[in-house]
Amino acid sequence: MKKTIHFTLNGQKRSIDVAPTEILLEMLRERLGVKSPKCGCDRGDCGTCSVLVNGRTLRSCLMLAVEIDGAAVTTIEGLGKDGEMSPLQKTFHERNAFQCGFCAPGMILSATELLARNPEPTRDEVKEGLAGNLCRCTGYTPIIDAVLEVSRKSGEGK
Amino acid sequence: MAIQEAFEYAKPKTLREATKLLRKNKGAMVLAGGTDLVGYLKEGFVSPSLVIDIKSLAELKKIEFKGNALHIGALVTFTDILESKVVAKKLPVLREIAEKVASVGIRNRATLVGNICSAVPCLDSGPVLVAMDGVVHVKSTLGARKIPAEKWFLGARKTARKPGELVTGVSIPLPKGKAAGCYLKLGRYQGEDLAQASVFVLMVGGKKPEFRVAFGSVGPVPSRGRRIEKSLNAGESETAARALVGSEIKPITDIRATREYRLHMCEVMLERAVQAARARLTGDGPAYGAAII
Ligand code: FES
Ligand code: FES
């Protein structure tokens, strides 16, 4: 039986009828047209399907759509403010922290969660915070550097 | 991948409602974090008629210390454990365990209770429960049961949970004296991986120190190392204890490691875990979570 769920997606209220079997990732991509979460492994290992639910990164390939009833979901489309990219998005862009870009939404969302909880992480903490997000192009170094650069900059701003 | 077999979904508001639903629907399964269940549903590995989402049962989201035991509710995620002040104060080695589970995106959802309900041989939550005489709490419409962790794990993916029973949490009795522990997990690389082998050691201080030892991922279920405990309790060294590892565990060769490698590494890890626990007890050990292997 279908169930109507209410949630916010990138700050906007949404309501949609979902079947219990619907996976959150499929619902976001196929029914709501939000294409930034991607299906890499479909089993929780790669991080490309990550979304923020109430501020925490979760694997949308391992969630039923009905489970987000009442929650606040953020994808990378919702990170910037007033048409401006977030500091992480900007720095990833400036530092060339991605090549094909397939992993970037998951990386940036994971880094967003990390910096919200730990504004000045060590290099090892950044690695641990991003673990489970696989990148096949960059070799990770520019990604880790970009996250550290953002954390340093925000530290200077204090 | 879409889920092929249809099921109904229910989100009960009370524990009573949840156990009633479980009893009435033979084919029902319980959903908490879902990091295992949703994967199983997609693979067609399970096909329940009803999925009971227990995430509204706030009383299961608690971590509490009472009656000299640490209680962990069925909705407590590994991230909750990592962020809990009670855990940090009462049983910091549990953080070392939680930290080794998969990655942040999984730990934010996956629960410790879900881990012991899936009961795969490489689970990280098993050794500590078996070593510390942990207790699994279940409830059904017929009443409640407490099952000792060692009797909980019956085989790979097999537990003592009976149809109609809902696991509400686990409790870990804490030793009276000052204690320190160590959990070492061997993976194929640093970062997230399933365990090839794992060792848990707890040392309780005092004139005659007392040890608890358990192994994971080297048999169908986590296993207690009683001969090793006896030897260490009698004052034998950890180097001597290494020789007993082969009599405690019978690992197999599989895709992740060979039998010989597992055995050898369990000896190495046992020795280092005892050393780390001892050093932590006196306050100059490696920080919890530090790389020791
Ligand atoms: S697609 Fe979800 S983790 Fe890979
Ligand atoms: S930039 Fe291609 S996968 Fe990371």
Side-chain angles (χ1 to χ4, degrees):
Chain A
M1 210 179 33
K2 289 218 174 187
K3 187 175 165 349
T4 309
I5 58 167
H6 310 276
F7 63 105
T8 62
L9 176 62
N10 296 328
Q12 285 184 335
K13 289 210 168 90
R14 305 295 288 250
S15 301
I16 187 169
D17 290 343
V18 294
T21 47
E22 263 179 87
I23 300 292
L24 178 59
L25 175 62
E26 287 168 10
M27 186 201 76
L28 288 172
R29 289 183 58 89
E30 309 306 330
R31 297 190 54 202
L32 297 179
V34 181
K35 300 286 188 180
S36 69
K38 299 188 174 54
C39 184
C41 67
D42 211 12
R43 45 176 292 174
D45 291 333
C46 76
T48 59
C49 66
S50 296
V51 297
L52 288 169
V53 177
N54 300 334
R56 305 273 191 184
T57 47
L58 302 178
R59 303 285 188 251
S60 66
C61 70
L62 289 184
M63 267 184 102
L64 302 177
V66 282
E67 290 183 80
I68 57 155
D69 191 21
V73 179
T74 308
T75 63
I76 198 145
E77 287 87 344
L79 274 194
K81 277 201 192 87
D82 311 321
E84 280 273 310
M85 290 190 282
S86 79
L88 273 164
Q89 285 175 299
K90 249 193 227 146
T91 312
F92 266 61
H93 178 82
E94 281 159 13
R95 294 278 159 246
N96 241 339
F98 46 82
Q99 290 172 26
C100 78
F102 201 80
C103 67
M107 289 287 181
I108 293 174
L109 291 171
S110 296
T112 303
E113 180 190 6
L114 172 73
L115 295 184
R117 278 169 216 287
N118 180 4
E120 286 172 57
T122 62
R123 197 172 185 89
D124 279 345
E125 285 168 342
V126 173
K127 283 190 190 167
E128 182 57 36
L130 298 180
N133 290 282
L134 304 186
C135 176
R136 299 293 82 174
C137 306
T138 64
Y140 302 100
T141 309
I143 295 177
I144 297 162
D145 288 345
V147 177
L148 285 168
E149 185 176 319
V150 173
S151 87
R152 265 197 309 274
K153 267 197 205 144
S154 62
E156 282 161 16
K158 267 182 216 153
Chain B
M1 202 193 306
I3 296 175
Q4 301 301 331
E5 303 269 343
F7 53 79
E8 290 298 314
Y9 171 87
K11 197 169 184 186
K13 296 244 156 32
T14 64
L15 200 51
R16 236 183 102 71
E17 212 187 308
T19 49
K20 268 194 182 162
L21 279 171
L22 253 183
R23 202 198 38 201
K24 268 203 251 138
N25 299 275
K26 287 247 148 42
M29 290 185 82
V30 174
L31 169 68
T35 48
D36 282 333
L37 182 63
V38 176
Y40 295 161
L41 286 168
K42 292 204 296 190
E43 282 162 27
F45 191 59
V46 296
S47 46
S49 56
L50 172 72
V51 167
I52 304 173
D53 187 347
I54 58 169
K55 282 194 285 295
S56 292
L57 310 181
E59 71 255 52
L60 302 186
K61 185 79 181 160
K62 287 187 203 144
I63 303 180
E64 281 174 317
F65 178 71
K66 53 173 199 231
N68 246 331
L70 191 64
H71 296 266
I72 296 172
L75 288 175
V76 171
T77 63
F78 288 106
T79 296
D80 294 333
I81 291 175
L82 282 168
E83 292 176 354
S84 156
K85 292 208 176 73
V86 183
V87 172
K89 192 161 161 239
K90 296 290 178 187
L91 193 61
V93 69
L94 200 58
R95 302 188 49 184
E96 188 162 63
I97 294 165
E99 208 176 61
K100 302 238 163 81
V101 176
S103 57
V104 177
I106 298 288
R107 294 199 287 264
N108 282 343
R109 281 254 294 169
T111 63
L112 183 141
V113 164
N115 199 215
I116 67 161
C117 286
S118 296
V120 294
C122 61
L123 87 169
D124 287 305
S125 319
V128 60
L129 293 177
V130 167
M132 295 186 69
D133 300 315
V135 177
V136 182
H137 300 257
V138 301
K139 251 201 184 121
S140 72
T141 49
L142 305 173
R145 285 205 298 150
K146 292 181 189 172
I147 305 155
E150 261 187 302
K151 300 225 165 88
W152 170 256
F153 298 103
L154 299 181
R157 300 176 190 269
K158 277 207 193 75
T159 69
R161 192 183 76 85
K162 293 199 189 121
E165 284 181 335
L166 177 79
V167 183
T168 54
V170 298
S171 53
I172 306 176
L174 299 189
K176 293 253 155 52
K178 206 176 155 220
C182 182
Y183 178 67
L184 294 183
K185 168 178 176 176
L186 181 69
R188 287 164 293 189
Y189 39 81
Q190 293 268 317
E192 61 150 359
D193 192 17
L194 299 174
Q196 294 169 305
S198 66
V199 176
F200 173 86
V201 169
L202 186 88
M203 179 175 177
V204 187
K207 264 196 221 105
K208 260 192 95 213
E210 203 198 296
F211 290 83
R212 310 285 185 85
V213 175
F215 298 90
S217 216
V218 286
V221 297
S223 59
R224 183 101 176 239
R226 286 217 160 68
R227 291 185 192 93
I228 295 173
E229 290 179 2
K230 227 172 135 194
S231 155
L232 290 167
N233 291 348
E236 297 288 340
S237 75
E238 55 270 23
T239 318
R242 279 181 67 145
L244 297 171
V245 170
S247 68
E248 300 274 22
I249 56 170
K250 301 269 172 281
I252 57 165
T253 295
D254 67 9
I255 186 168
R256 287 203 292 275
T258 62
R259 189 187 87 85
E260 292 76 13
Y261 181 59
R262 285 194 158 106
L263 260 179
H264 174 73
M265 286 309 291
C266 278
E267 291 179 12
V268 174
M269 291 196 293
L270 172 70
E271 192 173 10
R272 291 199 196 162
V274 172
Q275 285 162 355
R278 180 176 290 129
R280 281 171 180 169
L281 200 54
T282 56
D284 61 353
Y288 280 100
I292 301 175
I293 49 162

